[in-house]
């Protein structure tokens, strides 16, 4: 899959599987349809942590055809899975990822309980937990959607019916070809993102929106760098709730807000993964725990998740 702001971790959490977004530049983006070029990263989704490690072992590495690909040695991810305990590992627990019931974005009780139980299990395995602060989390949604939509409007402009994408039939003028091809080929949400992206990049608004978002993004990255000075990994929920019914969140803003815990990872370029840690007592749907690490720490994340996976109770089958 391709993770731009949680597009691997969120569905993995909802479906009870493991998903990994590598460090930006760890996996080649060559051949991928670009959405948000500075955010997109290809990664595996699989039934187990080991399967994710096997896939990542194959797809990770430098690619001269991708200018964003980083020429950094690839560790032996499978060998990292031999970890016997978590002694010496420090897990950071951000206050902003474990909100209280009266906050603007509270965790559902079933998600909070399952994730807390998983953290307690990591402590039993020898890990130490410490509080950390990601104080700019509340600004991540706005920052992400300004940057992502701006880049999307630029990347998707090539789909004009001439060389790429859908081509409308029975057109007489070039402007009609552009308009009809994009109208027929892009759905409502894609059109919404292109319009907003074009707006924030337009003359007179660039500095007020995109320029400021770029500055906040840099601060978010600094937020993570500071947090990782006191911990090896960060743990928290993937999403405030379990999977919802189709059409239940018809408001686009409601849909955007479910990404609150996943998008900072993409803005900072650090790796993150989701792993199933239980089934909701109320919803009877899967719940995912998110692990985040410093750049190129996929081996530490995978080894931690693999050991936790082996020591958690077997996952029951979710309801439909």
């Amino acid at each position: 899959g391709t993770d731009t702001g949680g597009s691997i971790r969120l569905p993995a959490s909802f479906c009870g599987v493991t998903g990994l977004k590598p460090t930006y530049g760890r996996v080649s983006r060559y051949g991928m349809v670009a959405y948000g070029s500075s955010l997109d990263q290809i990664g595996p989704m699989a039934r187990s942590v080991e399967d994710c490690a096997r896939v990542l072992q194959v797809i990770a590495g430098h690619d001269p055809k991708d200018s964003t690909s980083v020429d950094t040695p690839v560790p032996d991810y499978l060998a990292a899975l031999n970890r016997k305990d978590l002694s010496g590992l420090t897990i950071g627990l951000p206050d902003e990822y474990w909100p209280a019931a009266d906050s603007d974005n509270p965790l559902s009780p079933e998600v909070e309980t399952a994730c807390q139980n998983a953290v307690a299990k990591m402590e039993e395995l020898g890990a130490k937990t410490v509080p950390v602060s990601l104080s700019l989390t509340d600004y991540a949604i706005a920052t992400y959607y300004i940057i992502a939509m701006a880049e999307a409007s630029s990347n998707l402009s090539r789909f004009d019916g001439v060389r790429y994408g859908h081509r409308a039939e029975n057109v007489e003028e070039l402007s009609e070809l552009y308009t009809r091809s994009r109208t027929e080929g892009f759905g409502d949400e894609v059109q919404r993102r292109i319009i907003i992206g074009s707006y924030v990049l337009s003359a007179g608004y660039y500095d007020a929106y995109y320029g400021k978002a770029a500055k906040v993004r840099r601060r978010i990255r600094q937020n993570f760098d500071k947090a990782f000075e006191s911990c090896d990994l960060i743990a928290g929920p993937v999403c405030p709730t379990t999977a919802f019914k189709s059409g239940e969140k018809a408001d686009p803003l409601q849909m955007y807000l479910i990404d609150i815990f996943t998008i900072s990872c993409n803005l900072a370029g650090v790796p993150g993964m989701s792993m199933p840690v239980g089934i909701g007592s109320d919803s009877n749907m899967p719940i995912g725990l998110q692990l985040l690490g410093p750049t190129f720490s996929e081996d530490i994340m995978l080894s931690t998740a693999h050991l936790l996976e082996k020591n958690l109770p077997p996952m029951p089958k979710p309801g439909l």
Side-chain angles (χ1 to χ4, degrees):
T2 304
D3 194 311
T4 303
S7 310
I8 289 175
R9 287 161 290 150
L10 193 61
S13 174
F14 284 173
C15 296
V17 298
T18 303
L20 171 65
K21 184 209 87 72
T23 304
Y24 186 79
R26 174 82 284 181
V27 176
S28 173
R29 295 167 55 247
Y30 181 74
M32 181 189 71
V33 176
Y35 168 68
S37 299
S38 71
L39 303 164
D40 297 338
Q41 184 60 191
I42 292 172
M45 295 174 69
R47 289 183 178 272
S48 69
V49 175
E50 181 179 348
D51 286 348
C52 274
R54 290 183 181 278
V55 175
L56 184 62
Q57 194 72 64
V58 174
I59 65 176
H62 180 248
D63 181 2
K65 293 183 178 180
D66 174 15
S67 62
T68 66
S69 177
V70 179
D71 191 3
T72 300
V74 179
D76 188 337
Y77 295 120
L78 291 174
L81 303 185
N82 293 327
R83 189 168 193 155
K84 303 301 182 184
D85 58 48
L86 298 182
S87 58
L89 188 77
T90 302
I91 305 291
L93 303 178
D95 295 335
E96 298 80 7
Y97 285 26
W98 302 88
D102 59 351
S103 71
D104 292 334
N105 196 26
L107 283 177
S108 68
E110 60 182 5
V111 171
E112 185 171 15
T113 298
C115 290
Q116 285 180 339
N117 289 341
V119 170
K121 179 60 68 174
M122 287 193 284
E123 291 177 321
E124 287 180 26
L125 293 168
K128 174 186 175 183
T129 58
V130 297
V132 295
S133 176
L134 296 175
S135 59
L136 295 177
T137 298
D138 286 345
Y139 299 95
I141 292 280
T143 301
Y144 168 81
Y145 277 103
I146 288 172
I147 292 174
M149 292 181 181
E151 293 182 357
S153 70
S154 177
N155 280 322
L156 298 178
S157 64
R158 74 191 69 177
F159 294 94
D160 54 13
V162 178
R163 290 190 299 166
Y164 298 98
H166 172 77
R167 183 184 182 96
E169 298 180 353
N170 303 319
V171 296
E172 298 180 358
E173 297 180 354
L174 184 61
S175 60
E176 182 187 5
L177 174 65
Y178 287 172
T179 302
R180 285 186 48 200
S181 295
R182 289 170 173 166
T183 301
E184 295 170 9
F186 291 142
D188 291 344
E189 180 59 29
V190 176
Q191 293 182 39
R192 182 182 299 114
R193 296 189 179 204
I194 290 173
I195 291 171
I196 295 174
S198 299
Y199 177 82
V200 301
L201 289 176
S202 61
Y205 294 102
Y206 180 93
D207 290 334
Y209 291 100
Y210 187 81
K212 185 163 290 187
K215 293 177 182 177
V216 176
R217 177 184 190 165
R218 185 172 64 252
R219 294 285 301 276
I220 289 173
R221 174 59 188 265
Q222 293 169 349
N223 239 197
F224 274 95
D225 290 343
K226 181 67 175 177
F228 286 128
E229 289 178 4
S230 58
C231 66
D232 301 299
L233 296 176
I234 287 172
V238 177
C239 183
T241 66
T242 56
F244 41 86
K245 295 180 180 179
S246 177
E248 183 178 336
K249 295 183 183 293
D251 179 2
L253 184 58
Q254 281 188 311
M255 291 291 289
Y256 298 162
L257 289 174
I258 67 172
D259 293 330
I260 184 67
F261 300 138
T262 56
I263 55 178
S264 296
C265 171
N266 298 77
L267 290 168
V270 299
M273 68 180 298
S274 167
M275 62 174 295
V277 293
I279 298 292
S281 56
D282 298 325
S283 64
N284 201 30
M285 298 297 284
I287 296 170
L289 177 78
Q290 180 175 221
L291 296 176
L292 305 174
T295 53
F296 303 110
S297 63
E298 289 85 355
D299 52 342
I300 300 175
M301 285 198 313
L302 287 166
S303 65
T304 302
H306 182 63
L307 188 61
L308 178 59
E309 179 184 62
K310 291 195 299 182
N311 285 274
L312 286 174
M315 283 277 290
K317 293 184 178 179
L320 299 175

